[in-house]
Amino acid sequence: MIKLENIHKYFGELHVLHGVNLEVAEGEKVVIIGPSGSGKSTLIRCINLLEKPEEGSVVVDEVNLLTTPAAVAKVRQSMGMVFQQFNLYPHMTVLENLILAPIKLKGISKDEAIASGLLYLDRVGLQDKANAYPAQLSGGQQQRVAIARALNMKPKIMLFDEPTSALDPEMIQEVLDVMIALAGEGITMVVVTHEMGFARKVADRVIFMADGEIIEQNTPEEFFTNPKHNRTRQFLSRIAHAV
Amino acid sequence: MPGPFALFKWQAVLRDWQVFAEGFGMTILVSVLALVLALVLGILFGMMGTAQTKPLRYLNRIYVEFIQNTPLVIQIFFLYNGLPYLGVMLPVFWVGMLGIGVYHGAYVAEVVRAGILSTPKGQFEAAYAQGFSYWGAMRYVILPQAKRMAYPPLTNLAVNLIKNTSVMAMVAGGELMYHADSWASSNLYYGPAYIITGILYIALCLPLATYAKYLERRLEVSA
């Protein structure tokens, strides 16, 4: 479904990704963890080309995005992304946020987009907020709307870039609950997060990144109980202390 | 000798009110058309100023710097006196409308550019991630937000534009200032003519300026 090969990314002089390879199978749930500055956010942003790697190949759904730029927009339509800062459109109501892209990009009728939008809002528990503006919602609610907005495009893949990192602690769980429920439905998911409980519960595979490289990857049980690398052990012990 | 504001001079203004009304109407017409032109140019060049392609950004800079750093009067004179040498004879109404529209378009472009740049980067990213193109993102996501930021300064620009239509008087433009001035120089009743003219400009500009202040306050509240 997703195949990243030998990804190199530079920010000016800074070499952020050092030839990363990442393959994600259809329906697989991959959780990427690692210290800040490890390149995990940059990596997930390379999947939908919000960051353009200087070297390597990005293949999604059998389309090579770097060699066929004309196909990028189309592929992005099938890949929802949820951001740390929500990035809802502040000038639109919740429902308008949900229906804009389906109507304008996929040519779906307004009635149909509204019907499915309300369904997704119901699933994230926010149908009563359909006519509210993002600024009137809490952070947790905004992020749930952002998830519903992505889902209303009926994506095959969902990318989550630290979806709970900007939230107050008491709002993290409501967002994670939505993500856990979503994971149960067979959609392909790539999640960058610091939520180890979520990784343990949902991931098919946990990837640990540091210094722009994938250090270690394994099933959650193996990864958390029996980490192979020193860097991983250091990181996990530091997290354990924090929790 | 009667004073500059003698009663009979005011009576003359009232008697010839149609002269002023005609100029006033022309000022409104030129203002509206020039404003439309300024908005079209400003939005176009403002977007170019934030484009990823360098040549578009250069075009934006050339237009804005060239227009903003030469007096409006020269630009009007160029259209009126210069273009005929190139074989282009424009009616004075067109000279005014084009000159004033192009001039204020440069200022609108800067307001639009600032509005786009003040929209958080995450808004572009959210739109791109959904599959919108640059233009789609602009149209549905960025410009509607930039518009809110741009309204108060744009309203102030409209006030300046209305006042600046008065430079058309220098090329016999047929608008309010021209009519007032030519009427007054024929009978030397300058005092009442200029005062009435000033009041007519205030009647147009003060409500707009007040509206701009209201928009600014509303923006502060919602921000």
Side-chain angles (χ1 to χ4, degrees):
Chain A
M1 195 95 209
I2 301 170
K3 191 171 184 184
L4 272 60
E5 270 179 313
N6 190 34
I7 298 293
H8 286 271
K9 177 69 200 171
Y10 298 83
F11 289 132
E13 293 290 293
L14 197 65
H15 195 176
V16 193
L17 294 175
H18 302 253
V20 176
N21 296 296
L22 171 69
E23 215 168 319
V24 181
E26 189 165 356
E28 196 181 8
K29 282 63 171 145
V30 173
V31 172
I32 305 173
I33 63 173
S36 51
S38 59
K40 54 193 191 306
S41 273
T42 308
L43 181 65
I44 197 174
R45 288 160 59 86
C46 282
I47 297 175
N48 65 357
L49 245 53
L50 283 185
E51 302 292 351
K52 201 171 169 188
E54 275 72 29
E55 210 181 301
S57 80
V58 178
V59 178
V60 178
D61 223 0
E62 274 151 39
V63 181
N64 188 327
L65 297 183
L66 288 171
T67 56
T68 43
V72 172
K74 195 84 195 162
V75 172
R76 279 172 172 165
Q77 291 180 24
S78 66
M79 245 184 321
M81 188 171 212
V82 176
F83 299 87
Q84 185 176 350
Q85 299 295 341
F86 329 134
N87 294 349
L88 293 176
Y89 306 135
H91 57 300
M92 297 179 184
T93 65
V94 163
L95 190 59
E96 285 166 351
N97 264 275
L98 263 68
I99 64 175
L100 176 71
I103 293 173
K104 299 298 176 193
L105 297 175
K106 293 178 80 179
I108 286 169
S109 78
K110 192 174 178 188
D111 291 345
E112 210 177 317
I114 288 175
S116 73
L118 288 173
L119 226 60
Y120 284 115
L121 276 183
D122 193 38
R123 269 184 40 190
V124 301
L126 289 170
Q127 203 172 45
D128 57 323
K129 300 289 186 192
N131 296 314
Y133 281 88
Q136 297 167 308
L137 305 180
S138 71
Q141 290 172 329
Q142 288 191 52
Q143 195 62 299
R144 280 145 65 197
V145 171
I147 294 172
R149 176 175 72 176
L151 290 176
N152 207 27
M153 284 291 277
K154 312 271 163 48
K156 298 183 200 162
I157 301 168
M158 283 290 286
L159 308 174
F160 291 88
D161 185 10
E162 303 205 27
T164 58
S165 298
L167 296 176
D168 292 335
E170 75 270 20
M171 293 172 183
I172 291 176
Q173 199 54 46
E174 67 188 54
V175 172
L176 291 179
D177 287 342
V178 169
M179 291 169 63
I180 291 166
L182 184 65
E185 292 170 25
I187 196 169
T188 309
M189 273 169 88
V190 181
V191 183
V192 171
T193 187
H194 295 288
E195 295 297 323
M196 296 305 141
F198 174 82
R200 219 183 261 270
K201 192 164 185 173
V202 166
D204 298 315
R205 179 159 46 118
V206 178
I207 292 176
F208 175 66
M209 281 186 76
D211 302 324
E213 290 177 64
I214 292 181
I215 304 289
E216 180 168 354
Q217 47 184 320
N218 218 326
T219 60
E221 305 88 73
E222 268 303 292
F223 181 87
F224 286 111
T225 51
N226 191 16
K228 305 270 185 298
H229 281 258
N230 228 355
R231 289 283 325 245
T232 321
R233 281 198 288 271
Q234 275 175 7
F235 177 75
L236 289 177
S237 72
R238 227 174 290 142
I239 296 256
H241 280 297
V243 177
Chain B
M1 185 183 159
F5 298 108
L7 181 64
F8 68 87
K9 296 184 176 176
W10 290 99
Q11 285 164 336
V13 171
L14 281 181
R15 191 189 60 232
D16 293 338
W17 66 272
Q18 276 167 323
V19 173
F20 292 85
E22 190 186 322
F24 190 59
M26 186 61 95
T27 288
I28 292 175
L29 185 64
V30 170
S31 295
V32 169
L33 292 177
L35 187 62
V36 170
L37 178 64
L39 286 174
V40 170
L41 285 174
I43 292 170
L44 206 67
F45 278 88
M47 283 199 293
M48 283 160 65
T50 62
Q52 289 132 326
T53 11
K54 260 192 185 155
L56 289 180
R57 292 207 303 274
Y58 287 145
L59 271 177
N60 159 278
R61 283 340 288 167
I62 291 169
Y63 171 55
V64 170
E65 299 299 347
F66 187 75
I67 295 293
Q68 286 196 347
N69 293 299
T70 52
L72 172 59
V73 176
I74 290 187
Q75 293 166 27
I76 295 282
F77 280 7
F78 172 78
L79 291 178
Y80 189 69
N81 295 319
L83 278 189
Y85 285 101
L86 304 173
V88 183
M89 283 279 269
L90 292 176
V92 68
F93 177 81
W94 280 88
V95 167
M97 204 263 291
L98 281 178
I100 290 158
V102 169
Y103 178 80
H104 290 89
Y107 289 88
V108 175
E110 285 297 81
V111 170
V112 170
R113 194 172 70 97
I116 292 171
L117 291 179
S118 73
T119 310
K121 198 167 147 258
Q123 292 294 310
F124 262 116
E125 293 189 343
Y128 287 154
Q130 288 202 290
F132 281 105
S133 64
Y134 173 79
W135 296 110
M138 270 290 172
R139 178 167 166 204
Y140 299 114
V141 177
I142 305 299
L143 286 181
Q145 294 181 61
K147 201 171 71 178
R148 280 182 62 237
M149 299 292 298
Y151 263 147
L154 281 185
T155 313
N156 283 322
L157 263 176
V159 170
N160 276 322
L161 183 146
I162 292 169
K163 289 188 297 179
N164 283 339
T165 54
S166 60
V167 304
M168 285 173 73
M170 302 173 90
V171 294
E175 36 59 73
L176 179 57
M177 192 64 227
Y178 169 76
H179 274 293
D181 197 52
S182 64
W183 180 83
S185 35
S186 65
N187 55 24
L188 303 182
Y189 299 168
Y190 288 108
Y194 289 168
I195 285 185
I196 291 294
T197 303
I199 289 171
L200 287 174
Y201 278 113
I202 287 178
L204 285 179
C205 294
L206 189 61
L208 263 179
T210 311
Y211 182 56
K213 287 203 186 65
Y214 159 76
L215 288 175
E216 258 162 46
R217 266 201 315 277
R218 211 179 55 169
L219 201 63
E220 275 162 25
V221 171
S222 70

